[in-house]
Amino acid sequence: MLLVSGCAGTDCDGSCSWGTEEFGECEECIYKDCAAEMNACLSTPSCGQLYECFEGCAPLELSCHQNCYQQYSEGVAKLETLLQCSTNLCENACDDD
């Protein structure tokens, strides 16, 4: 979700030190090959919030995931579309990361 930051279009300097890591092959694929889906997600705050909420859940912690779905329900469709695109187009790139 680093593209939301003010440093998105440039190499980040000290004012943006948390974003200095380069994208891996998976992220590059998603931002390139699923650009429309990523932009749709980023333009909907609840989509990014839903993703961040999932990141805070332990694997297979279904009650946590369900809470995320309920809390950020407006972002579900756009995030699912993005994830489907990344699965279809970036599976090989993302398996290596």
Side-chain angles (χ1 to χ4, degrees), residues 40-81:
C41 182
L42 292 175
S43 69
T44 305
S46 58
C47 183
Q49 292 166 331
L50 177 60
Y51 179 81
E52 291 294 321
C53 187
F54 286 155
E55 289 288 304
C57 295
L60 301 176
E61 189 179 335
L62 300 180
S63 62
C64 181
H65 289 99
Q66 185 61 37
N67 182 50
C68 294
Y69 278 121
Q70 291 174 346
Q71 193 172 359
Y72 303 107
S73 61
E74 293 175 11
V76 171
K78 289 185 180 181
L79 183 59
E80 286 179 350
T81 300

Side-chain angles (χ1 to χ4, degrees), residues 1 3 25-43 47 78-94:
M1 295 294 178
L3 291 183
E25 190 176 332
C26 179
E27 291 87 358
E28 284 184 29
C29 180
I30 293 170
Y31 282 111
K32 179 182 169 209
D33 295 345
C34 298
E37 293 83 355
M38 179 59 79
N39 287 332
C41 182
L42 292 175
S43 69
C47 183
K78 289 185 180 181
L79 183 59
E80 286 179 350
T81 300
L82 173 60
L83 294 175
Q84 185 63 47
C85 179
S86 67
T87 298
N88 291 339
L89 299 179
C90 301
E91 184 174 14
N92 290 337
C94 293

